[in-house]
Amino acid sequence: MYTHTDLARLQSQSLKMQGWIRQHTFSPENSKQLRRFSSWEVAELILKINQSTFRGKLAADPSLPGGEVEEDGRQRWFSLEEINELRRRMKANRKSLMPPRPPGKRAFRAAVANFKGGAGKSTVALHLAHAAALDGYRVLVVDFDPQATLSHSMGLTDVSEDYTVWGIMARDLIRETDRMNSAVTGAASGTALPERKLPASLRDMGLDELRHADFIQKTCWSTIDIVPSCANAAFVEFASAQYRHLNPEWTFFAAVSRYLDGIADDDYDLILFDCPPAIGYQSMNAVFAADMLYIPSGPGYWEYDSTTSFIGQLSEALEDLAAGFGSTFPAGKVSLPKSFVDIRFLMTRYEPGNDLHRAMLEAFRKVFGDHVTTHPVEMTRAVEQSGRFLSSVYEIDYRNMTRETWRRARASFDRAYEEFRGTVLAGWDKI
């Protein structure tokens, strides 16, 4: 007979091997490092200017970053920091190379969410984050998924559950409970209100003393930060149910939204959420905090069926929240019913030559209309390889494969990102 102790022992054994594999997936120093980018990548694919123009600007201004030159002198390689300095200081046709951003707005928040495991949520979130960083944006990614694929892909292998979304939610419960208890009398009647009590085991963890920055970690991308996840954070669903019992008036679904509201408007340009493949306390926090839903789906019938179930159950969950909490919390940035500036469906693992894939894409477009993105993410060898090595296509050195294979994969994600950026810019003014 086997019990939870046997499961724990098996997990412990697996975690040891898991950690070893993840460490050896990255650099010999056991940390992920971002590669340099060649001058033709910087000119044509990142800054989107002619190579000869780029070389001319470097020659005309010796104070500009020159990158590292190969021994034969034929190619220069630039770091992301150097690329961003070039972007700030160079102009093309008298126009700034900085990406567009509405003035006076906070960061735009997009949740990548669906039921189906394997739909490409983490892959899409990773590539959108990297593409946005190469586009000049400052990005914060929030990993809501206890599988922590996005966190591992960003190079984080040792994360404490206290510094995950669970920590943010527990901290919010303590602070919101204390705020409610500070209102000792009812505004209308003047009668004393019951005090909401939390167990010492929760308060003694000291989570309410954590600062905003304590939950945010750096990545090897200088303009991408992350609120990471870890396998131990899986118990958040059980813990959150207990927390709601301790304080039924706690607006649990708004915990992460309140946390993000505490970040300065100009700290980041884009905030991306990678959601778990389920509707629960974590995913509802992501959905509630998001300005836009980005829903990836593979090209199979079961994935279409799962996507249909997802939006149906999400609709019911949001309706229940509006009915159950609509009049219980004070006015402010938290409001119900929840609304989004846009909802988009993105097909992943798409093969243009596959009849079934083309038929499913057409079915998506017939049902969801303009909510389906124009450009699906195509399945290529480079995409498969990027997933195998916990990296995006943007991180893979094109010299490790044929350049055409690499460019085809990058072009697919570039098109998907350009469409994503257009949707973000269109919706930014509405938040």
Side-chain angles (χ1 to χ4, degrees):
M1 303 295 289
Y2 299 96
T3 69
H4 63 279
T5 58
D6 298 287
L7 291 174
R9 177 178 52 80
L10 292 173
Q11 187 217 24
S12 177
Q13 294 173 192
S14 180
L15 286 175
K16 291 178 181 178
M17 177 59 72
Q18 188 182 64
W20 184 88
I21 292 173
R22 283 170 182 156
Q23 289 177 347
H24 287 75
T25 298
F26 304 134
S27 69
E29 294 79 18
N30 294 338
S31 64
K32 190 171 185 178
Q33 296 180 337
L34 181 61
R35 70 178 179 92
R36 286 179 169 264
F37 299 85
S38 65
S39 56
W40 76 267
E41 286 181 273
V42 175
E44 293 190 3
L45 301 180
I46 299 176
L47 301 181
K48 295 180 174 60
I49 60 179
N50 184 274
Q51 283 194 67
S52 60
T53 301
F54 180 61
R55 289 193 295 267
K57 289 182 178 293
L58 292 180
D61 186 353
S63 69
L64 290 173
E68 291 183 356
V69 184
E70 291 181 347
E71 292 184 3
D72 59 10
R74 297 178 60 186
Q75 186 68 274
R76 293 177 182 268
W77 296 83
F78 296 83
S79 68
L80 181 60
E81 292 80 3
E82 291 171 327
I83 293 170
N84 283 325
E85 183 176 350
L86 291 169
R87 190 193 307 276
R88 288 191 297 268
R89 295 178 56 187
M90 290 173 57
K91 290 186 176 182
N93 298 321
R94 299 182 179 179
K95 293 183 179 180
S96 171
L97 297 177
M98 295 296 292
R101 190 197 199 284
K105 293 284 186 177
R106 62 161 172 79
F108 191 91
R109 307 172 189 172
V112 182
N114 202 339
F115 263 167
K116 188 78 172 63
K121 294 183 294 295
S122 297
T123 298
V124 168
L126 181 70
H127 281 80
L128 290 179
H130 289 174
L134 289 177
D135 199 21
Y137 288 112
R138 298 157 300 169
V139 183
L140 174 66
V141 293
V142 184
D143 192 352
F144 287 83
D145 191 349
Q147 295 177 88
T149 302
L150 183 62
S151 298
H152 301 150
S153 298
M154 288 289 184
L156 281 76
T157 59
D158 186 17
V159 177
S160 166
E161 62 266 23
D162 289 0
Y163 301 97
T164 66
V165 168
W166 172 78
I168 291 175
M169 293 179 66
R171 170 182 180 262
D172 184 79
L173 168 65
I174 297 170
R175 293 189 172 192
E176 282 294 288
T177 301
D178 288 345
R179 179 187 63 79
M180 293 175 186
N181 287 337
S182 67
V184 293
T185 58
S189 64
T191 58
L193 297 176
E195 183 176 359
R196 303 154 188 87
K197 294 185 180 295
L198 299 178
S201 58
L202 179 60
R203 288 190 176 276
D204 291 347
M205 296 178 69
L207 295 174
D208 58 317
E209 301 297 328
L210 294 178
R211 301 162 298 177
H212 260 68
D214 292 333
F215 296 97
I216 297 174
Q217 297 197 32
K218 298 292 184 182
T219 72
C220 63
W221 290 68
S222 57
T223 51
I224 300 179
D225 293 338
I226 185 172
V227 176
S229 185
C230 67
N232 288 348
F235 68 89
V236 70
E237 298 300 318
F238 301 100
S240 298
Q242 292 179 314
Y243 297 162
R244 286 194 66 191
H245 178 73
L246 294 171
N247 184 355
E249 295 173 287
W250 174 49
T251 49
F252 66 91
F253 54 89
V256 174
S257 183
R258 280 188 285 265
Y259 168 78
L260 295 176
D261 287 341
I263 295 176
D265 288 350
D266 60 354
D267 278 359
Y268 301 99
D269 304 308
L270 179 66
I271 302 179
L272 282 168
F273 308 146
D274 184 25
C275 301
I279 290 181
Y281 291 98
Q282 293 186 89
S283 56
M284 289 308 297
N285 261 271
V287 165
F288 191 83
D291 300 311
M292 175 173 66
L293 288 182
Y294 231 65
I295 305 173
S297 175
Y301 170 76
W302 295 117
E303 290 154 313
Y304 170 77
D305 184 63
S306 177
T307 298
T308 302
S309 297
F310 169 70
I311 59 177
Q313 293 188 37
L314 181 59
S315 170
E316 293 175 0
L318 291 173
E319 182 181 16
D320 288 345
L321 288 181
F325 287 89
S327 60
T328 61
F329 53 86
K333 294 183 180 180
V334 176
S335 62
L336 289 171
K338 173 60 186 177
S339 61
F340 306 97
V341 300
D342 211 333
I343 299 172
R344 291 295 173 106
F345 297 87
L346 170 67
M347 183 161 286
T348 59
R349 306 196 323 275
Y350 179 72
E351 298 175 11
N354 187 307
D355 291 340
L356 173 62
H357 291 192
R358 291 199 302 270
M360 290 307 301
L361 180 56
E362 184 61 26
F364 266 80
R365 287 173 174 163
K366 284 182 178 180
V367 174
F368 302 120
D370 292 340
H371 289 288
V372 180
T373 62
T374 301
H375 301 291
V377 174
E378 297 182 16
M379 173 56 72
T380 68
R381 177 174 165 268
V383 173
E384 290 180 318
Q385 185 166 329
S386 69
R388 190 160 58 247
F389 290 102
L390 296 176
S391 300
S392 75
V393 168
Y394 300 103
E395 292 177 302
I396 293 178
D397 193 323
Y398 59 85
R399 294 171 296 181
N400 293 335
M401 61 185 69
T402 64
R403 185 177 294 194
E404 183 55 35
T405 299
W406 180 85
R407 291 198 69 162
R408 181 186 163 202
R410 166 153 184 164
S412 179
F413 280 108
D414 282 348
R415 290 190 294 267
Y417 168 72
E418 286 297 326
E419 194 169 355
F420 170 80
R421 188 180 83 154
T423 306
V424 168
L425 291 174
W428 219 329
D429 288 329
K430 300 177 184 177
I431 62 173

